[in-house]
Amino acid sequence: MSWACVAVFALASFGASAQRVEGDRATAEGAYNAEVAVKGQGADERRRAFSRALAQVLGKLSGDRSAASRPGVGAELRQAEKYVRSFDYRQDEGRSASGAPSFKTMLVVRFDEAAVDDLALTLALPVWPQPRPKPVLWLAIDDGSGPRLVDLKSADAVRSTLDRAVERGYRLGLPNGSAAEKAVVGAIWRGDTAAVARASQRYSPPMQLIGKLYRSGGGWTADWIFVDNGKVLSRWSESGPSATQLMATGADGSADALMKRYAKRPETGPAGTYRVAFTGLRSADDYVRLSGYLQGLTVVRGMRPALATPQRMEFDLDLLSGVRGFNLMVQRDGVLAAVDRGRDTSIGPVGMPDAEPGDAQIDTSASVPVYTLH
């Protein structure tokens, strides 16, 4: 397939984009950038594409293929535009199966790294730290003529695996394909992880994705093993009609294993109910404005008025990621200013609809964070 960059566009509202010259190709490189196919360049289509692109970035940052379905993420995806730093369009030219020219428009989106980091922290998304390891893919394929090792020279045969790894936020390496390495096919086929690890000693880090792909019935089967420093982290098998799709499952399984072992949940505080106080409310309109603002915050899952005095109003807020996550979100919006952040202490059932008579009522006078309404 041949590719050509024929058009690049950017909106001034997102700041100046880099000057491009003929033949230059806009691409999404790095954890905070993504590219998605679009049907056109209208504003509505672009907003929808921003949401898909942000979902990709959050998936890469966390290593979690289901990051977009985690609590609170959907609401932020619907307003992904505010996290965009810049974007370009790229038109890719290729050929269909019949040989006719085909064109696909891609939107390349670059997100603000600090804002996305704050979002991940606010929503308590687990983050897979950088730099990421580059495991070696030891894959043997038997199409009926005997198993053969996939090496650097035959990288195109496993392009779906390599590309899927990039989509998941890391990269896979391939063996050089020396005679000694090609002899490792037997160890791959019998699942001898120790022998493969020995053959992989020249590569760093000591991680191997070991796979064998073979015909099975009317389709294919792929058996995978992921090894980290001699320890088997995961084993899985997949079957289906498409060898290309099955090869991509190796990258997915490796990402899942790595994310489970290395991704860390940010220390924002546990989800729960917190008493939060607000000042600066001088009218009923201020109260309505504050209530509407709190209800619209992704980090706030529920709220209930708890105490009202002429000087302040207290709410029991059901927070997705503790008071620290709440702080991050309100700092970004500029509607509230922190007077006293207090201690990040959950007050449990106080003020919640499901509180039972007799539940412990905690004195919050020394721990309530206080904000003032601008």
Side-chain angles (χ1 to χ4, degrees):
M1 181 173 289
S2 62
W3 304 94
C5 175
V6 300
V8 176
F9 303 90
L11 289 186
S13 60
F14 291 100
S17 294
Q19 186 77 23
R20 298 194 180 279
V21 297
E22 184 177 359
D24 197 6
R25 185 170 182 263
T27 59
E29 297 181 357
Y32 297 89
N33 304 325
E35 55 184 63
V36 292
V38 291
K39 298 178 181 178
Q41 298 176 20
D44 290 341
E45 177 69 9
R46 186 166 53 248
R47 279 192 292 268
R48 290 190 290 268
F50 284 160
S51 297
R52 301 198 306 274
L54 182 57
Q56 278 189 31
V57 166
L58 293 177
K60 287 195 287 187
L61 283 178
S62 66
D64 183 0
R65 69 173 92 185
S66 60
S69 63
R70 283 181 173 265
V73 175
E76 294 303 307
L77 294 182
R78 289 190 288 274
Q79 47 185 342
E81 186 172 358
K82 66 183 180 182
Y83 297 100
V84 175
R85 178 169 55 85
S86 64
F87 66 90
D88 293 313
Y89 285 101
R90 185 187 77 233
Q91 189 160 319
D92 293 342
E93 179 183 354
R95 293 196 176 276
S96 66
S98 63
S102 64
F103 299 91
K104 180 169 62 174
T105 302
M106 304 295 294
L107 178 65
V108 180
V109 189
R110 305 171 194 86
F111 290 95
D112 183 279
E113 295 185 13
V116 172
D117 284 343
D118 284 348
L119 174 61
L121 189 63
T122 300
L123 299 181
L125 290 176
V127 175
W128 183 6
Q130 303 277 358
R132 305 274 173 84
K134 186 178 181 180
V136 178
L137 171 60
W138 292 87
L139 176 63
I141 301 176
D142 185 357
D143 59 3
S145 57
R148 290 168 292 175
L149 179 71
V150 177
D151 57 24
L152 280 174
K153 296 177 182 178
S154 51
D156 286 344
V158 289
R159 182 56 53 194
S160 64
T161 317
L162 303 178
D163 289 347
R164 181 64 61 83
V166 173
E167 291 173 12
R168 295 295 302 273
Y170 74 111
R171 293 183 180 276
L172 286 168
L174 288 169
N176 289 327
S178 66
E181 289 176 341
K182 290 179 179 179
V184 179
V185 167
I188 294 173
W189 216 255
R190 63 180 181 269
D192 187 344
T193 59
V196 176
R198 287 193 297 270
S200 195
Q201 285 179 349
R202 62 178 296 187
Y203 304 108
S204 181
M207 294 181 181
Q208 301 88 40
L209 171 58
I210 304 169
K212 62 178 183 179
L213 179 69
Y214 52 95
R215 291 195 176 275
S216 176
W220 296 82
T221 294
D223 298 331
W224 300 101
I225 307 173
F226 187 78
V227 181
D228 182 0
N229 202 23
K231 180 180 179 180
V232 174
L233 295 189
S234 184
R235 296 175 183 265
W236 67 102
S237 295
E238 303 282 351
S239 297
S242 171
T244 299
Q245 292 178 2
L246 289 179
M247 283 190 284
T249 65
D252 280 330
S254 298
D256 293 343
L258 287 165
M259 178 252 181
K260 184 177 181 180
R261 183 162 189 173
Y262 293 107
K264 303 297 182 183
R265 184 182 177 90
E267 296 180 0
T268 54
T273 304
Y274 296 79
R275 179 68 56 83
V276 182
F278 301 92
T279 63
L281 283 74
R282 298 177 176 82
S283 66
D285 287 343
D286 285 345
Y287 173 80
V288 171
R289 184 161 64 93
L290 173 64
S291 298
Y293 172 70
L294 293 176
Q295 291 173 18
L297 290 177
T298 301
V299 74
V300 178
R301 300 184 298 187
M303 57 180 286
R304 181 175 178 175
L307 179 68
T309 71
Q311 289 76 35
R312 65 194 244 165
M313 181 80 192
E314 295 186 3
F315 287 88
D316 290 332
L317 302 181
D318 181 11
L319 299 180
L320 180 66
S321 55
V323 172
R324 187 179 178 193
F326 181 79
N327 285 334
L328 287 169
M329 190 155 278
V330 300
Q331 286 172 6
R332 182 189 67 196
D333 293 339
V335 176
L336 299 172
V339 177
D340 179 3
R341 291 189 174 88
R343 297 198 309 271
D344 194 1
T345 306
S346 173
I347 62 174
V350 173
M352 293 302 291
D354 56 353
E356 297 293 337
D359 281 339
Q361 303 296 298
I362 298 175
D363 180 8
T364 63
S365 59
S367 64
V368 175
V370 182
Y371 298 83
T372 187
L373 180 68
H374 282 307

